[in-house]
Amino acid sequence: MGTKQRLPDRKSKITVREVARRANVSESTVSRIMRNKGLVAEATREKVMETVRAMGYVPNRIAGSLASLDSFLVGVVIPSLSNIVFPEVLQGVHAGLEGSDLQPVISTTEYNIDREEAVVRGILSWKPAAILLAGFDHTDATRKMLEQSGIRVVEMMDIDSTPIDIAVGTSHRRAGHAIGRHLIERGYRHFGYVGHDWDADRRARLRYDGLCEALSEAGLSIEAHAMADGASSVAEGRIQTARLRASAPQIDVAVYSNDDMAVGGVFHCLAEGIRLPDEFAVFGFNGLDIGKELPQPLSTVRSNRFLIGKKAIEEVLASPERPSEPTIIDTDFEVFIGATA
Amino acid sequence: MGTKQRLPDRKSKITVREVARRANVSESTVSRIMRNKGLVAEATREKVMETVRAMGYVPNRIAGSLASLDSFLVGVVIPSLSNIVFPEVLQGVHAGLEGSDLQPVISTTEYNIDREEAVVRGILSWKPAAILLAGFDHTDATRKMLEQSGIRVVEMMDIDSTPIDIAVGTSHRRAGHAIGRHLIERGYRHFGYVGHDWDADRRARLRYDGLCEALSEAGLSIEAHAMADGASSVAEGRIQTARLRASAPQIDVAVYSNDDMAVGGVFHCLAEGIRLPDEFAVFGFNGLDIGKELPQPLSTVRSNRFLIGKKAIEEVLASPERPSEPTIIDTDFEVFIGATA
DNA sequence: CTGTTAGCGCCTTCAG
DNA sequence: CTGAAGGCGCTAACAG
């Protein structure tokens, strides 16, 4: 299986027992003091804390957790750390955890639901207080484990499916629809789409579907596509934009699968001297910081990843018991009118 | 202190004992099977695995860890998740952990060494197999805890100080020096510096020191500074570049504290129609992806954050015992000649 | 306010 | 190849 790390026998042999002996009190007293729980005379507390400091005693939470059947861990399962949006979710998680003495344990799935299954099994074996995941795409086994665990389960990012327990995010389908409506109102009629791998990024697909719906309601459709094979990146955005414009010169606006791709599109235009948005317009998704700082701010939809992570934790802390009905928390989105579309 | 989460009494009452009873074997047998350790007849193994699956049994690692005195956790302490370099380090950590059944527990300090102290105390109470931190800037108490813990301690990012145990990173002082040499060779003589808060980012300061050294060796010096008060960002890069150019028009090249700031500088030039690198040259640090994709690739120094995280874990897995002498692992850097300087 | 008594769930001997 | 006993370090009752 894997490599186990035997704890060094060196220092860390300091236990409650030793502290109790040295301070001439019982183990429970030391325990009470360390946890700030129960009544203890100020005098004993100080005496004990003195020897605690002197010995450099650090309570063993593994043991504490086992004895009290309390958990101090929250599992967080995200597809990857290379897409900036997930670290942003983690920031929210950290913010939400502030002052709660729960520790996040983070694993990545690399966009693979079988890996997710393994990772979830591993995390559940730590008996976490709750588990947060990205999206709704799980194996049956994963789903079963999550249901059986009895702990709170948060599926983050979108709210376009029925969650196991809690969903926190925004409707990507509605966001895509809003993009379509917005661009139509601004007078665009010839739409292109620049995207990346839909199998790995199902939310990008949801946005695309919403967009198509809006166009179709107006009697329009997407006239050309340029799709990258793999993950989204600025580099792919440049490449695919070039391809799109070469293959379909009539396009006056391209909707991008996300801001990474869209920034690539903007860079292509800058490099080629294409005037934005008159000659060609670019619309992204995510509201990444970089987009705001471009010479012309990127037109995009802002979803609030930080808020997603934060709300997820807050919900879990607020009601540790899983209710019978699923909970859905909409963190909403906002159309940002930049200078590129 | 904080909110404790009582484990739900609902489902998760399945223990080795129940499994053993149902499968008509002893607890030890179940335990052996779950851990793939020791001899077990193929027939019993299958019988037991059957009931394990049927009951949805997930071993409790809290208990396992306590009983075996083995640890399955690695602590990772980073300043923040908002600076992209730290998620990159985490990626390397995850990569290095692949197949080792250790789980990373991540905490952030928000660039505050007192918070770091609290965070390290919390992590050590989980008796991790090792702990990774960013940098050498700790409180005395933190340092003491780390030394006493007996576990492997990795201080990541730079190697410009003597580590408690292991240092993994590159010499930022040497990198700064290399930037200076490189730019002098390319003929630049009037240097400016665009930076951000040195108190929070000591490595930026080290690079600056190295740069000054190189200039001084050539009889040159930095003629103008523009410093942001807070953290680095593309936005601050734009603002400070404008300030620098307004206050010191003679500057022909600006060295930036990092790529975020430098990209801001490039955006400023794009927006103002300043020709790079002839009219004004920009040099960054970090080798962020975004820099490569600019209409003109950013000239910068590449440090390999992924490698830092990966090497850190690899070293810790390779030798779990702390040797008497500190270990220093140089992940090196590379001057990247882009089109902006 | 403090001590005593039983475990928490599992793993490691050591027998058989 | 399998089982029985004891304990990992701590905490939840309960007494006093």
mmCIF file of all heavy atoms in Angstrom, chain A residues 68-100:
data_model
loop_
_atom_site.group_PDB
_atom_site.id
_atom_site.type_symbol
_atom_site.label_atom_id
_atom_site.label_comp_id
_atom_site.label_asym_id
_atom_site.label_seq_id
_atom_site.Cartn_x
_atom_site.Cartn_y
_atom_site.Cartn_z
ATOM 1 N N SER A 68 -12.985 11.034 22.905
ATOM 2 C CA SER A 68 -14.178 11.872 23.022
ATOM 3 C C SER A 68 -15.152 11.654 21.876
ATOM 4 O O SER A 68 -16.261 12.169 21.882
ATOM 5 C CB SER A 68 -13.764 13.339 23.046
ATOM 6 O OG SER A 68 -13.191 13.698 21.813
ATOM 7 N N LEU A 69 -14.719 10.905 20.871
ATOM 8 C CA LEU A 69 -15.550 10.703 19.687
ATOM 9 C C LEU A 69 -15.877 12.033 19.018
ATOM 10 O O LEU A 69 -16.901 12.172 18.378
ATOM 11 C CB LEU A 69 -16.837 9.956 20.029
ATOM 12 C CG LEU A 69 -16.626 8.554 20.595
ATOM 13 C CD1 LEU A 69 -17.955 7.888 20.883
ATOM 14 C CD2 LEU A 69 -15.794 7.715 19.645
ATOM 15 N N ASP A 70 -15.001 12.986 19.234
ATOM 16 C CA ASP A 70 -15.144 14.257 18.547
ATOM 17 C C ASP A 70 -14.206 14.273 17.366
ATOM 18 O O ASP A 70 -13.149 13.661 17.397
ATOM 19 C CB ASP A 70 -14.767 15.421 19.470
ATOM 20 C CG ASP A 70 -15.941 15.846 20.317
ATOM 21 O OD1 ASP A 70 -17.088 15.597 19.899
ATOM 22 O OD2 ASP A 70 -15.705 16.431 21.387
ATOM 23 N N SER A 71 -14.571 15.010 16.361
ATOM 24 C CA SER A 71 -13.696 15.113 15.204
ATOM 25 C C SER A 71 -13.169 16.524 15.094
ATOM 26 O O SER A 71 -13.835 17.479 15.452
ATOM 27 C CB SER A 71 -14.478 14.765 13.949
ATOM 28 O OG SER A 71 -13.708 15.069 12.818
ATOM 29 N N PHE A 72 -11.962 16.652 14.614
ATOM 30 C CA PHE A 72 -11.375 17.974 14.446
ATOM 31 C C PHE A 72 -10.938 18.202 13.013
ATOM 32 O O PHE A 72 -10.158 19.077 12.733
ATOM 33 C CB PHE A 72 -10.180 18.139 15.382
ATOM 34 C CG PHE A 72 -10.547 18.069 16.825
ATOM 35 C CD1 PHE A 72 -10.598 16.853 17.475
ATOM 36 C CD2 PHE A 72 -10.851 19.217 17.523
ATOM 37 C CE1 PHE A 72 -10.948 16.789 18.821
ATOM 38 C CE2 PHE A 72 -11.195 19.161 18.861
ATOM 39 C CZ PHE A 72 -11.256 17.950 19.509
ATOM 40 N N LEU A 73 -11.449 17.373 12.137
ATOM 41 C CA LEU A 73 -11.021 17.434 10.748
ATOM 42 C C LEU A 73 -12.206 17.680 9.824
ATOM 43 O O LEU A 73 -13.318 17.222 10.078
ATOM 44 C CB LEU A 73 -10.396 16.084 10.379
ATOM 45 C CG LEU A 73 -8.871 15.884 10.333
ATOM 46 C CD1 LEU A 73 -8.105 16.945 11.085
ATOM 47 C CD2 LEU A 73 -8.487 14.490 10.766
ATOM 48 N N VAL A 74 -11.972 18.415 8.771
ATOM 49 C CA VAL A 74 -12.951 18.557 7.701
ATOM 50 C C VAL A 74 -12.278 18.121 6.409
ATOM 51 O O VAL A 74 -11.189 18.607 6.090
ATOM 52 C CB VAL A 74 -13.392 20.020 7.510
ATOM 53 C CG1 VAL A 74 -14.483 20.098 6.459
ATOM 54 C CG2 VAL A 74 -13.863 20.602 8.805
ATOM 55 N N GLY A 75 -12.885 17.226 5.698
ATOM 56 C CA GLY A 75 -12.312 16.794 4.430
ATOM 57 C C GLY A 75 -12.688 17.752 3.310
ATOM 58 O O GLY A 75 -13.817 18.231 3.244
ATOM 59 N N VAL A 76 -11.740 18.056 2.449
ATOM 60 C CA VAL A 76 -12.017 18.895 1.285
ATOM 61 C C VAL A 76 -11.466 18.184 0.052
ATOM 62 O O VAL A 76 -10.275 17.870 -0.007
ATOM 63 C CB VAL A 76 -11.365 20.281 1.401
ATOM 64 C CG1 VAL A 76 -11.774 21.157 0.225
ATOM 65 C CG2 VAL A 76 -11.742 20.945 2.714
ATOM 66 N N VAL A 77 -12.335 17.907 -0.892
ATOM 67 C CA VAL A 77 -11.922 17.179 -2.091
ATOM 68 C C VAL A 77 -12.149 18.059 -3.304
ATOM 69 O O VAL A 77 -13.289 18.409 -3.623
ATOM 70 C CB VAL A 77 -12.736 15.879 -2.247
ATOM 71 C CG1 VAL A 77 -12.283 15.119 -3.489
ATOM 72 C CG2 VAL A 77 -12.598 15.015 -1.008
ATOM 73 N N ILE A 78 -11.083 18.439 -3.970
ATOM 74 C CA ILE A 78 -11.185 19.304 -5.150
ATOM 75 C C ILE A 78 -10.487 18.629 -6.329
ATOM 76 O O ILE A 78 -9.660 17.753 -6.138
ATOM 77 C CB ILE A 78 -10.568 20.685 -4.886
ATOM 78 C CG1 ILE A 78 -9.140 20.534 -4.370
ATOM 79 C CG2 ILE A 78 -11.417 21.469 -3.910
ATOM 80 C CD1 ILE A 78 -8.453 21.849 -4.124
ATOM 81 N N PRO A 79 -10.853 19.028 -7.538
ATOM 82 C CA PRO A 79 -10.258 18.370 -8.696
ATOM 83 C C PRO A 79 -8.757 18.613 -8.808
ATOM 84 O O PRO A 79 -8.005 17.714 -9.162
ATOM 85 C CB PRO A 79 -10.974 19.019 -9.887
ATOM 86 C CG PRO A 79 -12.219 19.589 -9.328
ATOM 87 C CD PRO A 79 -11.899 19.981 -7.912
ATOM 88 N N SER A 80 -8.335 19.821 -8.486
ATOM 89 C CA SER A 80 -6.948 20.160 -8.759
ATOM 90 C C SER A 80 -6.590 21.454 -8.070
ATOM 91 O O SER A 80 -7.450 22.218 -7.650
ATOM 92 C CB SER A 80 -6.778 20.298 -10.273
ATOM 93 O OG SER A 80 -5.953 21.371 -10.600
ATOM 94 N N LEU A 81 -5.312 21.697 -7.944
ATOM 95 C CA LEU A 81 -4.873 22.967 -7.374
ATOM 96 C C LEU A 81 -4.362 23.894 -8.460
ATOM 97 O O LEU A 81 -4.045 25.055 -8.198
ATOM 98 C CB LEU A 81 -3.766 22.726 -6.350
ATOM 99 C CG LEU A 81 -4.216 22.138 -5.022
ATOM 100 C CD1 LEU A 81 -3.061 21.466 -4.302
ATOM 101 C CD2 LEU A 81 -4.796 23.241 -4.137
ATOM 102 N N SER A 82 -4.262 23.394 -9.691
ATOM 103 C CA SER A 82 -3.662 24.248 -10.721
ATOM 104 C C SER A 82 -4.668 25.225 -11.301
ATOM 105 O O SER A 82 -4.303 26.273 -11.802
ATOM 106 C CB SER A 82 -3.007 23.430 -11.825
ATOM 107 O OG SER A 82 -3.664 22.225 -12.043
ATOM 108 N N ASN A 83 -5.936 24.898 -11.242
ATOM 109 C CA ASN A 83 -6.932 25.879 -11.644
ATOM 110 C C ASN A 83 -7.194 26.801 -10.455
ATOM 111 O O ASN A 83 -7.696 26.373 -9.422
ATOM 112 C CB ASN A 83 -8.220 25.173 -12.077
ATOM 113 C CG ASN A 83 -9.217 26.138 -12.661
ATOM 114 O OD1 ASN A 83 -9.153 27.342 -12.415
ATOM 115 N ND2 ASN A 83 -10.149 25.620 -13.433
ATOM 116 N N ILE A 84 -6.874 28.044 -10.641
ATOM 117 C CA ILE A 84 -6.905 29.024 -9.549
ATOM 118 C C ILE A 84 -8.225 29.052 -8.783
ATOM 119 O O ILE A 84 -8.263 29.392 -7.603
ATOM 120 C CB ILE A 84 -6.575 30.436 -10.092
ATOM 121 C CG1 ILE A 84 -6.522 31.484 -8.977
ATOM 122 C CG2 ILE A 84 -7.593 30.854 -11.149
ATOM 123 C CD1 ILE A 84 -5.319 31.350 -8.115
ATOM 124 N N VAL A 85 -9.304 28.659 -9.416
ATOM 125 C CA VAL A 85 -10.587 28.755 -8.709
ATOM 126 C C VAL A 85 -10.637 27.861 -7.470
ATOM 127 O O VAL A 85 -11.290 28.199 -6.491
ATOM 128 C CB VAL A 85 -11.808 28.455 -9.609
ATOM 129 C CG1 VAL A 85 -11.781 29.312 -10.865
ATOM 130 C CG2 VAL A 85 -11.919 27.001 -9.962
ATOM 131 N N PHE A 86 -9.924 26.753 -7.478
ATOM 132 C CA PHE A 86 -10.029 25.863 -6.326
ATOM 133 C C PHE A 86 -9.244 26.352 -5.114
ATOM 134 O O PHE A 86 -9.774 26.313 -3.992
ATOM 135 C CB PHE A 86 -9.706 24.430 -6.734
ATOM 136 C CG PHE A 86 -10.691 23.912 -7.750
ATOM 137 C CD1 PHE A 86 -10.307 23.643 -9.052
ATOM 138 C CD2 PHE A 86 -12.028 23.769 -7.417
ATOM 139 C CE1 PHE A 86 -11.226 23.212 -9.999
ATOM 140 C CE2 PHE A 86 -12.957 23.341 -8.357
ATOM 141 C CZ PHE A 86 -12.558 23.065 -9.649
ATOM 142 N N PRO A 87 -8.028 26.858 -5.324
ATOM 143 C CA PRO A 87 -7.395 27.536 -4.194
ATOM 144 C C PRO A 87 -8.269 28.665 -3.639
ATOM 145 O O PRO A 87 -8.282 28.902 -2.434
ATOM 146 C CB PRO A 87 -6.101 28.096 -4.802
ATOM 147 C CG PRO A 87 -5.767 27.126 -5.873
ATOM 148 C CD PRO A 87 -7.088 26.671 -6.435
ATOM 149 N N GLU A 88 -9.017 29.322 -4.494
ATOM 150 C CA GLU A 88 -9.899 30.377 -4.009
ATOM 151 C C GLU A 88 -11.001 29.808 -3.114
ATOM 152 O O GLU A 88 -11.347 30.392 -2.085
ATOM 153 C CB GLU A 88 -10.515 31.141 -5.184
ATOM 154 C CG GLU A 88 -9.533 32.088 -5.840
ATOM 155 C CD GLU A 88 -10.107 32.779 -7.075
ATOM 156 O OE1 GLU A 88 -11.321 32.651 -7.321
ATOM 157 O OE2 GLU A 88 -9.346 33.426 -7.794
ATOM 158 N N VAL A 89 -11.522 28.668 -3.498
ATOM 159 C CA VAL A 89 -12.503 28.005 -2.645
ATOM 160 C C VAL A 89 -11.866 27.650 -1.306
ATOM 161 O O VAL A 89 -12.446 27.868 -0.242
ATOM 162 C CB VAL A 89 -13.054 26.727 -3.315
ATOM 163 C CG1 VAL A 89 -13.926 25.949 -2.348
ATOM 164 C CG2 VAL A 89 -13.821 27.074 -4.583
ATOM 165 N N LEU A 90 -10.644 27.156 -1.376
ATOM 166 C CA LEU A 90 -9.929 26.799 -0.143
ATOM 167 C C LEU A 90 -9.746 28.001 0.762
ATOM 168 O O LEU A 90 -9.849 27.883 1.981
ATOM 169 C CB LEU A 90 -8.553 26.215 -0.465
ATOM 170 C CG LEU A 90 -8.509 24.817 -1.080
ATOM 171 C CD1 LEU A 90 -7.059 24.364 -1.219
ATOM 172 C CD2 LEU A 90 -9.285 23.839 -0.218
ATOM 173 N N GLN A 91 -9.481 29.143 0.167
ATOM 174 C CA GLN A 91 -9.371 30.358 0.985
ATOM 175 C C GLN A 91 -10.652 30.605 1.755
ATOM 176 O O GLN A 91 -10.630 30.947 2.934
ATOM 177 C CB GLN A 91 -9.105 31.566 0.095
ATOM 178 C CG GLN A 91 -7.700 31.685 -0.397
ATOM 179 C CD GLN A 91 -7.560 32.935 -1.251
ATOM 180 O OE1 GLN A 91 -7.742 34.044 -0.770
ATOM 181 N NE2 GLN A 91 -7.285 32.746 -2.523
ATOM 182 N N GLY A 92 -11.760 30.424 1.067
ATOM 183 C CA GLY A 92 -13.048 30.603 1.729
ATOM 184 C C GLY A 92 -13.227 29.594 2.848
ATOM 185 O O GLY A 92 -13.719 29.925 3.930
ATOM 186 N N VAL A 93 -12.818 28.371 2.594
ATOM 187 C CA VAL A 93 -12.913 27.326 3.604
ATOM 188 C C VAL A 93 -12.090 27.716 4.829
ATOM 189 O O VAL A 93 -12.579 27.649 5.963
ATOM 190 C CB VAL A 93 -12.424 25.973 3.040
ATOM 191 C CG1 VAL A 93 -12.258 24.946 4.154
ATOM 192 C CG2 VAL A 93 -13.390 25.460 1.979
ATOM 193 N N HIS A 94 -10.868 28.144 4.589
ATOM 194 C CA HIS A 94 -10.025 28.577 5.703
ATOM 195 C C HIS A 94 -10.672 29.725 6.469
ATOM 196 O O HIS A 94 -10.660 29.745 7.687
ATOM 197 C CB HIS A 94 -8.644 29.000 5.193
ATOM 198 C CG HIS A 94 -7.679 27.869 5.091
ATOM 199 N ND1 HIS A 94 -7.509 27.133 3.950
ATOM 200 C CD2 HIS A 94 -6.841 27.325 6.002
ATOM 201 C CE1 HIS A 94 -6.595 26.195 4.167
ATOM 202 N NE2 HIS A 94 -6.169 26.288 5.394
ATOM 203 N N ALA A 95 -11.226 30.662 5.724
ATOM 204 C CA ALA A 95 -11.863 31.798 6.379
ATOM 205 C C ALA A 95 -13.040 31.326 7.238
ATOM 206 O O ALA A 95 -13.204 31.769 8.373
ATOM 207 C CB ALA A 95 -12.334 32.806 5.336
ATOM 208 N N GLY A 96 -13.820 30.426 6.707
ATOM 209 C CA GLY A 96 -14.982 29.935 7.446
ATOM 210 C C GLY A 96 -14.600 29.148 8.690
ATOM 211 O O GLY A 96 -15.315 29.119 9.679
ATOM 212 N N LEU A 97 -13.442 28.528 8.623
ATOM 213 C CA LEU A 97 -12.972 27.681 9.722
ATOM 214 C C LEU A 97 -12.355 28.482 10.857
ATOM 215 O O LEU A 97 -12.147 27.970 11.952
ATOM 216 C CB LEU A 97 -11.928 26.709 9.162
ATOM 217 C CG LEU A 97 -12.229 25.217 9.071
ATOM 218 C CD1 LEU A 97 -13.710 24.936 9.035
ATOM 219 C CD2 LEU A 97 -11.523 24.607 7.890
ATOM 220 N N GLU A 98 -12.034 29.729 10.564
ATOM 221 C CA GLU A 98 -11.382 30.621 11.530
ATOM 222 C C GLU A 98 -12.069 30.533 12.887
ATOM 223 O O GLU A 98 -13.272 30.769 13.003
ATOM 224 C CB GLU A 98 -11.464 32.049 10.996
ATOM 225 C CG GLU A 98 -10.668 33.060 11.780
ATOM 226 C CD GLU A 98 -9.170 32.830 11.637
ATOM 227 O OE1 GLU A 98 -8.705 32.736 10.493
ATOM 228 O OE2 GLU A 98 -8.488 32.748 12.688
ATOM 229 N N GLY A 99 -11.302 30.185 13.887
ATOM 230 C CA GLY A 99 -11.851 30.148 15.233
ATOM 231 C C GLY A 99 -12.653 28.909 15.568
ATOM 232 O O GLY A 99 -13.300 28.834 16.597
ATOM 233 N N SER A 100 -12.598 27.902 14.714
ATOM 234 C CA SER A 100 -13.428 26.724 14.984
ATOM 235 C C SER A 100 -12.607 25.505 15.370
ATOM 236 O O SER A 100 -13.129 24.434 15.569
ATOM 237 C CB SER A 100 -14.235 26.371 13.747
ATOM 238 O OG SER A 100 -13.427 25.643 12.849
#
